[in-house]
PDB file of all heavy atoms in Angstrom:
ATOM      1  N   ALA A 271     -11.483 -19.174 -11.563  1.00 92.00           N
ATOM      2  CA  ALA A 271     -11.235 -20.291 -12.382  1.00 92.00           C
ATOM      3  C   ALA A 271      -9.969 -21.117 -11.944  1.00 92.00           C
ATOM      4  O   ALA A 271      -9.922 -22.252 -12.085  1.00 92.00           O
ATOM      5  CB  ALA A 271     -10.979 -19.885 -13.899  1.00 92.00           C
ATOM      6  N   LYS A 272      -9.064 -20.312 -11.310  1.00 94.00           N
ATOM      7  CA  LYS A 272      -7.887 -20.969 -10.669  1.00 94.00           C
ATOM      8  C   LYS A 272      -8.062 -21.180  -9.217  1.00 94.00           C
ATOM      9  O   LYS A 272      -7.113 -21.610  -8.534  1.00 94.00           O
ATOM     10  CB  LYS A 272      -6.622 -20.064 -10.961  1.00 94.00           C
ATOM     11  CG  LYS A 272      -6.322 -19.944 -12.392  1.00 94.00           C
ATOM     12  CD  LYS A 272      -5.049 -19.172 -12.628  1.00 94.00           C
ATOM     13  CE  LYS A 272      -4.637 -19.143 -14.123  1.00 94.00           C
ATOM     14  NZ  LYS A 272      -3.455 -18.292 -14.327  1.00 94.00           N
ATOM     15  N   ASN A 273      -9.223 -20.821  -8.614  1.00 94.00           N
ATOM     16  CA  ASN A 273      -9.427 -21.029  -7.170  1.00 94.00           C
ATOM     17  C   ASN A 273      -8.421 -20.289  -6.404  1.00 94.00           C
ATOM     18  O   ASN A 273      -7.877 -20.787  -5.367  1.00 94.00           O
ATOM     19  CB  ASN A 273      -9.483 -22.502  -6.797  1.00 94.00           C
ATOM     20  CG  ASN A 273     -10.728 -22.930  -6.305  1.00 94.00           C
ATOM     21  OD1 ASN A 273     -11.788 -22.375  -6.519  1.00 94.00           O
ATOM     22  ND2 ASN A 273     -10.868 -24.045  -5.619  1.00 94.00           N
ATOM     23  N   THR A 274      -8.062 -19.065  -6.791  1.00 96.00           N
ATOM     24  CA  THR A 274      -6.954 -18.297  -6.126  1.00 96.00           C
ATOM     25  C   THR A 274      -7.279 -16.911  -5.960  1.00 96.00           C
ATOM     26  O   THR A 274      -7.938 -16.282  -6.794  1.00 96.00           O
ATOM     27  CB  THR A 274      -5.613 -18.398  -7.019  1.00 96.00           C
ATOM     28  OG1 THR A 274      -5.395 -19.757  -7.188  1.00 96.00           O
ATOM     29  CG2 THR A 274      -4.529 -17.638  -6.283  1.00 96.00           C
ATOM     30  N   VAL A 275      -6.974 -16.355  -4.760  1.00 96.00           N
ATOM     31  CA  VAL A 275      -6.984 -14.958  -4.509  1.00 96.00           C
ATOM     32  C   VAL A 275      -5.520 -14.377  -4.461  1.00 96.00           C
ATOM     33  O   VAL A 275      -4.704 -15.085  -3.869  1.00 96.00           O
ATOM     34  CB  VAL A 275      -7.728 -14.589  -3.173  1.00 96.00           C
ATOM     35  CG1 VAL A 275      -7.563 -13.228  -2.782  1.00 96.00           C
ATOM     36  CG2 VAL A 275      -9.210 -14.917  -3.296  1.00 96.00           C
ATOM     37  N   TYR A 276      -5.346 -13.200  -4.989  1.00 97.00           N
ATOM     38  CA  TYR A 276      -4.014 -12.641  -5.114  1.00 97.00           C
ATOM     39  C   TYR A 276      -3.941 -11.363  -4.283  1.00 97.00           C
ATOM     40  O   TYR A 276      -4.938 -10.623  -4.051  1.00 97.00           O
ATOM     41  CB  TYR A 276      -3.649 -12.332  -6.465  1.00 97.00           C
ATOM     42  CG  TYR A 276      -3.596 -13.573  -7.428  1.00 97.00           C
ATOM     43  CD1 TYR A 276      -4.600 -13.791  -8.193  1.00 97.00           C
ATOM     44  CD2 TYR A 276      -2.553 -14.385  -7.452  1.00 97.00           C
ATOM     45  CE1 TYR A 276      -4.698 -14.917  -9.110  1.00 97.00           C
ATOM     46  CE2 TYR A 276      -2.539 -15.557  -8.232  1.00 97.00           C
ATOM     47  CZ  TYR A 276      -3.584 -15.662  -9.060  1.00 97.00           C
ATOM     48  OH  TYR A 276      -3.670 -16.869  -9.930  1.00 97.00           O
ATOM     49  N   LEU A 277      -2.719 -11.012  -3.769  1.00 98.00           N
ATOM     50  CA  LEU A 277      -2.516  -9.777  -3.155  1.00 98.00           C
ATOM     51  C   LEU A 277      -1.212  -9.217  -3.758  1.00 98.00           C
ATOM     52  O   LEU A 277      -0.069  -9.770  -3.502  1.00 98.00           O
ATOM     53  CB  LEU A 277      -2.358  -9.957  -1.672  1.00 98.00           C
ATOM     54  CG  LEU A 277      -2.121  -8.707  -0.891  1.00 98.00           C
ATOM     55  CD1 LEU A 277      -3.335  -7.850  -0.864  1.00 98.00           C
ATOM     56  CD2 LEU A 277      -1.617  -8.988   0.537  1.00 98.00           C
ATOM     57  N   GLU A 278      -1.289  -8.076  -4.492  1.00 98.00           N
ATOM     58  CA  GLU A 278      -0.144  -7.410  -4.989  1.00 98.00           C
ATOM     59  C   GLU A 278       0.168  -6.332  -3.966  1.00 98.00           C
ATOM     60  O   GLU A 278      -0.574  -5.487  -3.730  1.00 98.00           O
ATOM     61  CB  GLU A 278      -0.406  -6.899  -6.387  1.00 98.00           C
ATOM     62  CG  GLU A 278       0.748  -6.231  -7.024  1.00 98.00           C
ATOM     63  CD  GLU A 278       0.486  -5.554  -8.393  1.00 98.00           C
ATOM     64  OE1 GLU A 278      -0.597  -5.739  -8.903  1.00 98.00           O
ATOM     65  OE2 GLU A 278       1.386  -4.964  -8.972  1.00 98.00           O
ATOM     66  N   MET A 279       1.416  -6.469  -3.568  1.00 98.00           N
ATOM     67  CA  MET A 279       1.914  -5.418  -2.632  1.00 98.00           C
ATOM     68  C   MET A 279       3.019  -4.657  -3.198  1.00 98.00           C
ATOM     69  O   MET A 279       4.011  -5.098  -3.669  1.00 98.00           O
ATOM     70  CB  MET A 279       2.409  -6.160  -1.419  1.00 98.00           C
ATOM     71  CG  MET A 279       1.354  -7.061  -0.763  1.00 98.00           C
ATOM     72  SD  MET A 279       1.911  -7.709   0.876  1.00 98.00           S
ATOM     73  CE  MET A 279       3.293  -8.794   0.349  1.00 98.00           C
ATOM     74  N   ASN A 280       2.886  -3.313  -3.298  1.00 98.00           N
ATOM     75  CA  ASN A 280       3.887  -2.451  -3.788  1.00 98.00           C
ATOM     76  C   ASN A 280       4.339  -1.431  -2.776  1.00 98.00           C
ATOM     77  O   ASN A 280       3.658  -1.210  -1.741  1.00 98.00           O
ATOM     78  CB  ASN A 280       3.311  -1.741  -5.052  1.00 98.00           C
ATOM     79  CG  ASN A 280       2.989  -2.589  -6.211  1.00 98.00           C
ATOM     80  OD1 ASN A 280       3.773  -3.583  -6.607  1.00 98.00           O
ATOM     81  ND2 ASN A 280       1.784  -2.412  -6.727  1.00 98.00           N
ATOM     82  N   SER A 281       5.514  -0.781  -3.062  1.00 98.00           N
ATOM     83  CA  SER A 281       5.984   0.281  -2.152  1.00 98.00           C
ATOM     84  C   SER A 281       5.983  -0.252  -0.784  1.00 98.00           C
ATOM     85  O   SER A 281       5.530   0.457   0.275  1.00 98.00           O
ATOM     86  CB  SER A 281       5.122   1.510  -2.260  1.00 98.00           C
ATOM     87  OG  SER A 281       5.158   1.981  -3.518  1.00 98.00           O
ATOM     88  N   LEU A 282       6.479  -1.443  -0.477  1.00 98.00           N
ATOM     89  CA  LEU A 282       6.614  -2.098   0.800  1.00 98.00           C
ATOM     90  C   LEU A 282       7.432  -1.310   1.794  1.00 98.00           C
ATOM     91  O   LEU A 282       8.513  -0.687   1.421  1.00 98.00           O
ATOM     92  CB  LEU A 282       7.012  -3.543   0.669  1.00 98.00           C
ATOM     93  CG  LEU A 282       5.979  -4.452   0.178  1.00 98.00           C
ATOM     94  CD1 LEU A 282       6.601  -5.755  -0.364  1.00 98.00           C
ATOM     95  CD2 LEU A 282       4.917  -4.728   1.151  1.00 98.00           C
ATOM     96  N   LYS A 283       6.881  -1.331   3.044  1.00 98.00           N
ATOM     97  CA  LYS A 283       7.586  -0.565   4.150  1.00 98.00           C
ATOM     98  C   LYS A 283       8.031  -1.604   5.170  1.00 98.00           C
ATOM     99  O   LYS A 283       7.350  -2.645   5.326  1.00 98.00           O
ATOM    100  CB  LYS A 283       6.594   0.495   4.726  1.00 98.00           C
ATOM    101  CG  LYS A 283       6.051   1.434   3.684  1.00 98.00           C
ATOM    102  CD  LYS A 283       5.030   2.334   4.389  1.00 98.00           C
ATOM    103  CE  LYS A 283       4.476   3.268   3.335  1.00 98.00           C
ATOM    104  NZ  LYS A 283       3.440   4.166   4.018  1.00 98.00           N
ATOM    105  N   PRO A 284       8.994  -1.239   6.059  1.00 97.00           N
ATOM    106  CA  PRO A 284       9.330  -2.156   7.071  1.00 97.00           C
ATOM    107  C   PRO A 284       8.123  -2.559   8.038  1.00 97.00           C
ATOM    108  O   PRO A 284       8.073  -3.631   8.483  1.00 97.00           O
ATOM    109  CB  PRO A 284      10.373  -1.335   7.925  1.00 97.00           C
ATOM    110  CG  PRO A 284      11.016  -0.539   6.796  1.00 97.00           C
ATOM    111  CD  PRO A 284       9.919  -0.051   5.915  1.00 97.00           C
ATOM    112  N   GLU A 285       7.205  -1.607   8.232  1.00 96.00           N
ATOM    113  CA  GLU A 285       6.065  -1.923   9.066  1.00 96.00           C
ATOM    114  C   GLU A 285       5.099  -2.843   8.388  1.00 96.00           C
ATOM    115  O   GLU A 285       4.225  -3.299   9.130  1.00 96.00           O
ATOM    116  CB  GLU A 285       5.327  -0.610   9.424  1.00 96.00           C
ATOM    117  CG  GLU A 285       5.018   0.229   8.267  1.00 96.00           C
ATOM    118  CD  GLU A 285       6.055   1.400   8.038  1.00 96.00           C
ATOM    119  OE1 GLU A 285       7.191   1.135   8.150  1.00 96.00           O
ATOM    120  OE2 GLU A 285       5.555   2.574   7.817  1.00 96.00           O
ATOM    121  N   ASP A 286       5.394  -3.283   7.174  1.00 98.00           N
ATOM    122  CA  ASP A 286       4.520  -4.255   6.533  1.00 98.00           C
ATOM    123  C   ASP A 286       5.008  -5.652   6.863  1.00 98.00           C
ATOM    124  O   ASP A 286       4.283  -6.638   6.519  1.00 98.00           O
ATOM    125  CB  ASP A 286       4.505  -4.113   4.960  1.00 98.00           C
ATOM    126  CG  ASP A 286       3.908  -2.946   4.479  1.00 98.00           C
ATOM    127  OD1 ASP A 286       2.799  -2.523   5.028  1.00 98.00           O
ATOM    128  OD2 ASP A 286       4.378  -2.277   3.549  1.00 98.00           O
ATOM    129  N   THR A 287       6.077  -5.751   7.587  1.00 98.00           N
ATOM    130  CA  THR A 287       6.621  -6.990   7.926  1.00 98.00           C
ATOM    131  C   THR A 287       5.714  -7.855   8.788  1.00 98.00           C
ATOM    132  O   THR A 287       5.112  -7.270   9.824  1.00 98.00           O
ATOM    133  CB  THR A 287       7.959  -6.827   8.693  1.00 98.00           C
ATOM    134  OG1 THR A 287       8.967  -6.350   7.730  1.00 98.00           O
ATOM    135  CG2 THR A 287       8.542  -8.195   9.221  1.00 98.00           C
ATOM    136  N   GLY A 288       5.585  -9.072   8.527  1.00 98.00           N
ATOM    137  CA  GLY A 288       4.670 -10.026   9.352  1.00 98.00           C
ATOM    138  C   GLY A 288       4.343 -11.222   8.615  1.00 98.00           C
ATOM    139  O   GLY A 288       4.723 -11.517   7.439  1.00 98.00           O
ATOM    140  N   VAL A 289       3.578 -12.041   9.252  1.00 98.00           N
ATOM    141  CA  VAL A 289       3.032 -13.272   8.693  1.00 98.00           C
ATOM    142  C   VAL A 289       1.730 -12.941   8.035  1.00 98.00           C
ATOM    143  O   VAL A 289       0.724 -12.393   8.719  1.00 98.00           O
ATOM    144  CB  VAL A 289       2.874 -14.450   9.625  1.00 98.00           C
ATOM    145  CG1 VAL A 289       2.341 -15.650   8.944  1.00 98.00           C
ATOM    146  CG2 VAL A 289       4.290 -14.727  10.216  1.00 98.00           C
ATOM    147  N   TYR A 290       1.490 -13.283   6.768  1.00 98.00           N
ATOM    148  CA  TYR A 290       0.262 -12.853   5.984  1.00 98.00           C
ATOM    149  C   TYR A 290      -0.499 -14.148   5.813  1.00 98.00           C
ATOM    150  O   TYR A 290      -0.165 -15.143   5.453  1.00 98.00           O
ATOM    151  CB  TYR A 290       0.700 -12.321   4.729  1.00 98.00           C
ATOM    152  CG  TYR A 290       1.085 -10.903   4.735  1.00 98.00           C
ATOM    153  CD1 TYR A 290       2.212 -10.505   5.476  1.00 98.00           C
ATOM    154  CD2 TYR A 290       0.279  -9.898   4.180  1.00 98.00           C
ATOM    155  CE1 TYR A 290       2.667  -9.192   5.596  1.00 98.00           C
ATOM    156  CE2 TYR A 290       0.743  -8.461   4.286  1.00 98.00           C
ATOM    157  CZ  TYR A 290       1.891  -8.151   4.938  1.00 98.00           C
ATOM    158  OH  TYR A 290       2.278  -6.901   5.110  1.00 98.00           O
ATOM    159  N   TYR A 291      -1.862 -13.904   6.143  1.00 98.00           N
ATOM    160  CA  TYR A 291      -2.829 -15.084   6.134  1.00 98.00           C
ATOM    161  C   TYR A 291      -4.018 -14.610   5.311  1.00 98.00           C
ATOM    162  O   TYR A 291      -4.363 -13.516   5.249  1.00 98.00           O
ATOM    163  CB  TYR A 291      -3.313 -15.358   7.520  1.00 98.00           C
ATOM    164  CG  TYR A 291      -2.309 -15.670   8.563  1.00 98.00           C
ATOM    165  CD1 TYR A 291      -1.774 -14.711   9.339  1.00 98.00           C
ATOM    166  CD2 TYR A 291      -2.098 -17.018   8.779  1.00 98.00           C
ATOM    167  CE1 TYR A 291      -0.806 -15.074  10.333  1.00 98.00           C
ATOM    168  CE2 TYR A 291      -1.115 -17.383   9.736  1.00 98.00           C
ATOM    169  CZ  TYR A 291      -0.553 -16.447  10.517  1.00 98.00           C
ATOM    170  OH  TYR A 291       0.383 -16.798  11.538  1.00 98.00           O
ATOM    171  N   CYS A 292      -4.572 -15.693   4.641  1.00 97.00           N
ATOM    172  CA  CYS A 292      -5.907 -15.475   4.050  1.00 97.00           C
ATOM    173  C   CYS A 292      -6.966 -16.395   4.783  1.00 97.00           C
ATOM    174  O   CYS A 292      -6.560 -17.345   5.393  1.00 97.00           O
ATOM    175  CB  CYS A 292      -5.959 -15.803   2.446  1.00 97.00           C
ATOM    176  SG  CYS A 292      -5.402 -17.431   2.097  1.00 97.00           S
ATOM    177  N   ALA A 293      -8.197 -16.038   4.779  1.00 97.00           N
ATOM    178  CA  ALA A 293      -9.184 -16.740   5.437  1.00 97.00           C
ATOM    179  C   ALA A 293     -10.527 -16.492   4.800  1.00 97.00           C
ATOM    180  O   ALA A 293     -10.823 -15.522   4.148  1.00 97.00           O
ATOM    181  CB  ALA A 293      -9.180 -16.483   6.973  1.00 97.00           C
ATOM    182  N   ARG A 294     -11.443 -17.423   5.064  1.00 97.00           N
ATOM    183  CA  ARG A 294     -12.860 -17.348   4.445  1.00 97.00           C
ATOM    184  C   ARG A 294     -13.789 -16.627   5.558  1.00 97.00           C
ATOM    185  O   ARG A 294     -13.707 -16.926   6.790  1.00 97.00           O
ATOM    186  CB  ARG A 294     -13.339 -18.714   4.287  1.00 97.00           C
ATOM    187  CG  ARG A 294     -14.885 -18.822   4.080  1.00 97.00           C
ATOM    188  CD  ARG A 294     -15.318 -20.239   4.200  1.00 97.00           C
ATOM    189  NE  ARG A 294     -16.842 -20.328   4.462  1.00 97.00           N
ATOM    190  CZ  ARG A 294     -17.546 -21.365   4.710  1.00 97.00           C
ATOM    191  NH1 ARG A 294     -16.873 -22.542   4.766  1.00 97.00           N
ATOM    192  NH2 ARG A 294     -18.806 -21.383   4.987  1.00 97.00           N
ATOM    193  N   ARG A 295     -14.581 -15.748   5.013  1.00 97.00           N
ATOM    194  CA  ARG A 295     -15.572 -15.072   5.923  1.00 97.00           C
ATOM    195  C   ARG A 295     -16.683 -16.109   6.271  1.00 97.00           C
ATOM    196  O   ARG A 295     -17.228 -16.817   5.441  1.00 97.00           O
ATOM    197  CB  ARG A 295     -16.194 -13.930   5.168  1.00 97.00           C
ATOM    198  CG  ARG A 295     -17.375 -13.242   5.983  1.00 97.00           C
ATOM    199  CD  ARG A 295     -18.041 -12.241   5.033  1.00 97.00           C
ATOM    200  NE  ARG A 295     -19.267 -11.732   5.724  1.00 97.00           N
ATOM    201  CZ  ARG A 295     -20.462 -12.337   5.786  1.00 97.00           C
ATOM    202  NH1 ARG A 295     -20.656 -13.434   5.110  1.00 97.00           N
ATOM    203  NH2 ARG A 295     -21.440 -11.808   6.380  1.00 97.00           N
ATOM    204  N   THR A 296     -17.098 -16.178   7.607  1.00 96.00           N
ATOM    205  CA  THR A 296     -18.085 -16.975   8.005  1.00 96.00           C
ATOM    206  C   THR A 296     -19.187 -16.188   8.725  1.00 96.00           C
ATOM    207  O   THR A 296     -20.285 -16.746   8.912  1.00 96.00           O
ATOM    208  CB  THR A 296     -17.604 -18.053   8.990  1.00 96.00           C
ATOM    209  OG1 THR A 296     -16.984 -17.472  10.114  1.00 96.00           O
ATOM    210  CG2 THR A 296     -16.483 -18.948   8.321  1.00 96.00           C
ATOM    211  N   SER A 297     -19.027 -14.960   9.011  1.00 96.00           N
ATOM    212  CA  SER A 297     -20.025 -14.160   9.707  1.00 96.00           C
ATOM    213  C   SER A 297     -19.636 -12.765   9.625  1.00 96.00           C
ATOM    214  O   SER A 297     -18.598 -12.346   9.150  1.00 96.00           O
ATOM    215  CB  SER A 297     -20.218 -14.587  11.085  1.00 96.00           C
ATOM    216  OG  SER A 297     -18.966 -14.414  11.882  1.00 96.00           O
ATOM    217  N   GLY A 298     -20.448 -11.851  10.127  1.00 93.00           N
ATOM    218  CA  GLY A 298     -20.131 -10.393  10.188  1.00 93.00           C
ATOM    219  C   GLY A 298     -20.367  -9.669   8.952  1.00 93.00           C
ATOM    220  O   GLY A 298     -21.086 -10.161   8.030  1.00 93.00           O
ATOM    221  N   ALA A 299     -19.898  -8.549   8.839  1.00 91.00           N
ATOM    222  CA  ALA A 299     -20.150  -7.609   7.787  1.00 91.00           C
ATOM    223  C   ALA A 299     -19.705  -8.090   6.423  1.00 91.00           C
ATOM    224  O   ALA A 299     -18.621  -8.845   6.360  1.00 91.00           O
ATOM    225  CB  ALA A 299     -19.388  -6.233   8.024  1.00 91.00           C
TER     226      ALA A 299
END
């Protein structure tokens, strides 16, 4: 209804550092 996908991230670790992207599936599984 809000045209939004969310990602809740808990217990974050240094190795989680990075640029986070969302994208639409166009093929594959």
Side-chain angles (χ1 to χ4, degrees):
K272 295 183 177 180
N273 243 19
T274 303
V275 170
Y276 301 99
L277 181 71
E278 182 181 355
M279 304 186 295
N280 299 311
S281 301
L282 284 163
K283 305 174 181 179
E285 52 262 43
D286 294 319
T287 294
V289 180
Y290 282 65
Y291 302 89
C292 60
R294 165 196 162 187
R295 176 190 173 274
T296 59
S297 63

